[in-house]
Amino acid sequence: MKFVLKSFGCQMNKLDSALVTSAMKQAGFEVSDSPVESDVVIINTCSVRQHAEERVLSHLGHLKHIRKSRPGLVVAVMGCMAQRMGEELLANEAVDIVCGPGQIDKLPELIQQRLEKKAKHLAVAEKIRAKVEESEAQGLEEFEVANDLTEDQLPGQAYVRAMRGCNKFCTYCVVPYVRGPEASRPPESIISQIKHLRDQGIKLVTLLGQTIDSYSYTENGKKWGLAELLEGASAVEGIEWVRFITSYPTDLDDSILAAMAGNPKVCKYLHLPAQSGSDKILKAMNRTYTSGQYLELLTKAREMVPGIAIAGDFIVGFCGESDEDFEATVSLVQKARYKSCYIFKYSPRPGTTAEKRLEDDVPEDVKKARNTRLLEVQSLISEEDNGRLVGRRMRVLVEGPSKKAHLDKSSQDVDHKQLISRTGEDYIVVFNGPAQLAGQFAQVKITKASALTLFGEL
Ligand code: SAH
Ligand code: SF4
Ligand code: F3S
């Protein structure tokens, strides 16, 4: 039996995909890359913006078509959209199984049953904000530890979940309603996973959590925060880099910055979304800081951790965002001097506070124009910032051959492919070198810079 799995979501989502892929293989299924040649199609979905859901629905339309010529094909929809839409998705002609992020440990079994012609099945949390039952939590934890995290990941790298869920309830955000309450995983489990990854040749581990800096776990009387977890992870011999995403501004304490400054294995990369530069909008979003406090935090981070690279997230066109509010965001971006920024147009999500109580009153063309403007502002900053790195020697972890042509092709030959790599600060560096370097560290001298990419020589 063959299966194909396609992910539409974030890193957390891709990690779930890796676990499910590994579990399916253990259950005797073979990986395929095309639905037309498969017996099972699994789609891992995201609900964060409407666009993400639309992509999945259009993919389902495509599968409905394929099913006409392959009536036995089993289609399972997992992930955040599965949790959010439940029955509604199950009613879709193209769908056999709907499985929430908290039920993925049951997915291979459900698929097996459907292949044996059992009825369609819905497996989602009924009360997503209720404390997870002990037995269910145990099942998920065992599933997490029993499966291979390296499926479909870049060579030498792996993501490890440190936390599930989220308790912040930013008013625009669906995540707390689809991923459930915040829960930190036991450090012992996390570290034993990291040791196992090391045995498989993993050198870079990225710890995942929606608000990773609020990680907290008490084990045998010892309290673990993110700083302790970073120390524990980097103490694993053979692991060379440890990173973490994503941080929530008011949870970032000094111990985390001190670990970044003092421990050479902890990467100096901080993903710290601000979402807006207007205090009025921050309040409406239920973000618990002002733009002034946020900027002070950046100043402190740069003082404590020289060389730190900071990335941000912004939502433009949130409910009630005036020109003045947007200018405050532009001004914050100019002051913050991010390494890079992810910018999104506000998309109302069913069930969130903003969708229920606030009006989505910024017209689409204004959202678009603000998005473009903010990207331009950041692009100039990235270009300047990257320009300062020209001439520097940097240590990079090589991802593999580049799919796009970035450099002069004529300088490539059989032994020297165009490679994509990243520094610990998450700068992308493109250079020519042997393909065997994939998954290895290299020293590269930066020769040229653009807004998105650095170019170098081995
Ligand atoms: N937990 C992380 C990331 C959550 S989702 C955090 O708090 O930073 C990733 C990003 O998507 C968010 O940072 C936010 O910028 C964006 N986002 C979330 N909900 C959105 C919505 N309804 N519309 C547009 N962008 C949204
Ligand atoms: Fe969503 Fe806010 Fe939680 Fe991030 S912190 S996942 S934006 S609710
Ligand atoms: Fe990730 Fe999207 Fe879910 S961003 S947590 S897959 S809603």
Side-chain angles (χ1 to χ4, degrees):
M1 289 274 175
K2 288 190 175 167
F3 77 101
V4 58
L5 192 158
K6 193 169 160 63
S7 294
F8 287 85
C10 65
Q11 301 307 349
M12 193 64 93
N13 208 270
K14 298 218 164 72
L15 177 54
D16 291 339
S17 295
L19 292 172
V20 167
T21 301
S22 158
M24 288 292 285
K25 282 168 117 180
Q26 283 188 40
F29 290 88
E30 249 178 86
V31 180
S32 141
D33 52 15
S34 140
V36 193
E37 286 164 17
S38 299
D39 306 284
V40 179
V41 176
I42 306 172
I43 307 173
N44 196 359
T45 59
C46 172
S47 274
V48 83
R49 281 168 291 275
Q50 196 183 341
H51 178 67
E53 293 196 345
E54 280 163 2
R55 284 174 60 215
V56 169
L57 293 173
S58 109
H59 194 67
L60 286 176
H62 174 62
L63 289 174
K64 195 172 112 188
H65 192 70
I66 294 179
R67 281 239 276 216
K68 290 214 173 96
S69 53
R70 291 179 67 84
L73 182 71
V74 167
V75 176
V77 180
M78 62 182 276
C80 296
M81 194 177 163
Q83 177 62 45
R84 189 184 84 68
M85 292 177 68
E87 292 282 0
E88 196 183 332
L89 262 181
L90 201 67
N92 187 309
E93 248 182 273
V95 178
D96 297 292
I97 296 161
V98 174
C99 178
Q103 286 70 31
I104 51 171
D105 51 326
K106 307 187 179 73
L107 190 53
E109 173 69 27
L110 294 173
I111 289 172
Q112 196 62 53
Q113 287 172 2
R114 182 64 177 168
L115 283 166
E116 291 157 12
K117 306 276 177 263
K118 298 247 168 62
K120 281 194 176 203
H121 195 97
L122 176 70
V124 295
E126 254 174 63
K127 295 203 173 86
I128 184 72
R129 293 301 304 174
K131 191 174 180 293
V132 181
E133 295 267 340
E134 195 61 44
S135 59
E136 255 178 66
Q138 188 87 20
L140 263 188
E141 189 55 38
E142 278 166 18
F143 186 74
E144 186 109 37
V145 181
N147 285 294
D148 188 354
L149 299 175
T150 61
E151 287 293 348
D152 233 13
Q153 303 287 349
L154 292 165
Q157 315 191 12
Y159 290 92
V160 176
R161 184 167 5 239
M163 298 173 79
R164 300 196 168 90
C166 182
N167 283 353
K168 295 291 185 208
F169 289 99
C170 303
T171 56
Y172 51 80
C173 184
V174 78
V175 172
Y177 305 94
V178 289
R179 289 267 165 185
E182 176 186 304
S184 294
R185 292 184 57 221
E188 194 195 0
S189 246
I190 297 171
I191 289 171
S192 89
Q193 262 180 318
I194 295 175
K195 286 183 180 153
H196 182 62
L197 289 167
R198 178 267 324 271
D199 296 342
Q200 292 168 280
I202 297 299
K203 300 186 177 79
L204 161 62
V205 160
T206 305
L207 299 170
L208 292 185
Q210 298 297 348
T211 55
I212 186 76
D213 48 348
S214 62
Y215 178 85
S216 168
Y217 200 98
T218 305
E219 194 170 62
N220 304 326
K222 180 183 169 186
K223 191 167 179 295
W224 292 70
L226 179 60
E228 288 74 26
L229 191 61
L230 290 169
E231 294 298 346
S234 54
V236 175
E237 211 179 309
I239 294 296
E240 302 216 25
W241 281 356
V242 182
R243 283 196 315 202
F244 55 97
I245 49 176
T246 306
S247 298
Y248 188 85
T250 45
D251 289 342
L252 190 80
D253 67 44
D254 289 3
S255 67
I256 300 169
L257 294 172
M260 291 175 103
N263 185 331
K265 286 191 183 178
V266 178
C267 294
K268 294 180 171 48
Y269 173 66
L270 184 65
H271 185 185
L272 194 72
Q275 312 296 5
S276 172
S278 150
D279 291 345
K280 179 189 102 191
I281 296 296
L282 285 169
K283 201 157 177 218
M285 288 175 161
N286 190 31
R287 301 288 289 188
T288 52
Y289 48 86
T290 61
S291 59
Q293 285 164 337
Y294 179 87
L295 284 169
E296 275 170 30
L297 189 56
L298 294 195
T299 306
K300 180 166 80 178
R302 289 186 167 119
E303 273 168 18
M304 282 183 71
V305 191
I308 193 170
I310 301 172
D313 285 7
F314 287 88
I315 296 176
V316 295
F318 187 64
C319 313
E321 186 187 77
S322 64
D323 285 337
E324 203 185 336
D325 294 318
F326 175 66
E327 288 311 320
T329 297
V330 172
S331 155
L332 176 65
V333 169
Q334 275 161 344
K335 289 181 194 140
R337 298 205 65 88
Y338 293 106
K339 168 195 149 288
S340 57
C341 261
Y342 302 90
I343 301 165
F344 308 100
K345 289 179 289 176
Y346 171 58
S347 165
R349 304 315 297 136
T352 59
T353 307
E355 187 264 344
K356 287 192 281 192
R357 305 219 183 115
L358 304 172
E359 196 190 339
D360 178 23
D361 55 0
V362 178
E364 182 58 28
D365 56 332
V366 176
K367 286 182 185 171
K368 215 178 214 161
R370 288 179 184 170
N371 189 342
T372 309
R373 166 104 187 280
L374 206 55
L375 274 173
E376 281 166 5
V377 170
Q378 178 56 40
S379 179
L380 280 178
I381 294 169
S382 295
E383 218 174 302
E384 270 177 40
D385 185 42
N386 287 354
R388 277 184 291 151
L389 296 171
V390 173
R392 239 207 265 130
R393 274 166 215 281
M394 299 181 95
R395 187 170 187 234
V396 296
L397 181 59
V398 180
E399 294 181 356
S402 156
K403 292 191 189 89
K404 277 192 289 180
H406 292 272
L407 293 175
D408 177 12
K409 278 244 172 149
S410 60
S411 59
Q412 285 192 79
D413 55 44
V414 188
D415 299 324
H416 285 79
K417 291 260 180 287
Q418 193 170 95
L419 302 175
I420 292 257
S421 69
R422 261 173 221 264
T423 73
E425 302 81 14
D426 203 49
Y427 287 101
I428 299 171
V429 184
V430 176
F431 66 99
N432 287 344
Q436 304 90 279
L437 273 181
Q440 308 290 324
F441 285 97
Q443 288 286 343
V444 176
K445 188 176 168 197
I446 308 303
T447 51
K448 210 174 88 176
S450 74
L452 295 175
T453 319
L454 300 172
F455 302 91
E457 280 165 11
L458 190 60

